[in-house]
Amino acid sequence: MAENGADSTDAAVSLWHQLLQCYKSIERNISSALHSNYHQSLSRYDVLAQIHDYGEEWISVGDLTRRLLDTAGGISALLNRMEREELIKRRLNPRDRRSFQVALTDKGRQLYRDMSSNYSAWVAAALEEVSSEEREVLFNILGRLKRAQRNGLR
């Protein structure tokens, strides 16, 4: 059954709203669990995870910002607070003295390890209503949608 233009647009908007509602609900639940258990925000967890997963000890603040799941707004203030709490350390980039690099401290690395297994369990719990076959289909569809967005809107 072919959809006309208006029906197709309405369906696209409905799907978009459903995606946003699911994302926000899962984000809210995981954020609440992180805060209750570790007194940390999802943004802080994301910073620790991205630095940890980078593959090198030091990552430039620009590269970190591009890797973050959340928007980059307030990243400098967030990094300042995390540095004061000794979760990360910062230095001038030795290859470009106009920029900074960050790395995990031992305290930050341990906090990430502590949070990581619970984070994974919380994500799995959030998706437990979706079968493994459905997850694979959804993963492929979302990957295709992500790739389609690389060139922006027309």
Side-chain angles (χ1 to χ4, degrees):
M1 179 172 146
E3 295 181 273
N4 69 34
D7 289 343
S8 177
T9 300
D10 290 346
V13 170
S14 292
L15 175 60
W16 170 240
H17 287 169
Q18 186 79 339
L19 283 168
L20 283 176
Q21 289 168 350
C22 286
Y23 166 76
K24 290 307 259 179
S25 178
I26 293 169
E27 178 187 45
R28 222 179 355 263
N29 290 337
I30 291 174
S31 290
S32 176
L34 282 168
H35 191 271
S36 295
N37 289 277
Y38 300 101
H39 306 291
Q40 299 294 318
S41 67
L42 186 55
S43 294
R44 286 168 166 256
Y45 175 81
D46 191 20
V47 167
L48 294 174
Q50 295 304 327
I51 296 171
H52 178 271
D53 295 345
Y54 183 63
E56 297 178 26
E57 182 179 6
W58 294 92
I59 181 174
S60 74
V61 172
D63 285 345
L64 173 63
T65 300
R66 284 186 285 284
R67 293 171 61 101
L68 292 174
L69 298 174
D70 203 359
T71 59
I75 187 68
S76 293
L78 177 61
L79 294 177
N80 287 340
R81 289 189 300 274
M82 292 177 77
E83 184 178 27
R84 276 194 306 275
E85 294 170 26
E86 299 179 346
L87 298 175
I88 63 166
K89 52 191 172 184
R90 188 183 335 217
R91 72 176 185 190
L92 280 173
N93 187 333
R95 285 171 270 163
D96 179 359
R97 311 270 308 155
R98 298 167 297 167
S99 66
F100 288 92
Q101 294 177 316
V102 293
L104 294 178
T105 61
D106 289 341
K107 181 179 176 182
R109 192 173 294 103
Q110 185 60 52
L111 178 61
Y112 170 74
R113 283 189 200 118
D114 292 346
M115 290 190 300
S116 180
S117 61
N118 280 329
Y119 176 83
S120 297
W122 296 327
V123 170
L127 300 175
E128 69 187 355
E129 293 297 318
V130 181
S131 73
S132 59
E133 294 82 14
E134 291 169 322
R135 288 181 196 188
E136 186 175 336
V137 169
L138 183 57
F139 183 83
N140 290 330
I141 291 169
L142 292 174
R144 204 168 66 229
L145 183 59
K146 180 180 173 183
R147 286 187 300 277
Q149 301 312 305
R150 288 186 182 146
N151 296 324
L153 300 175
R154 294 171 233 170

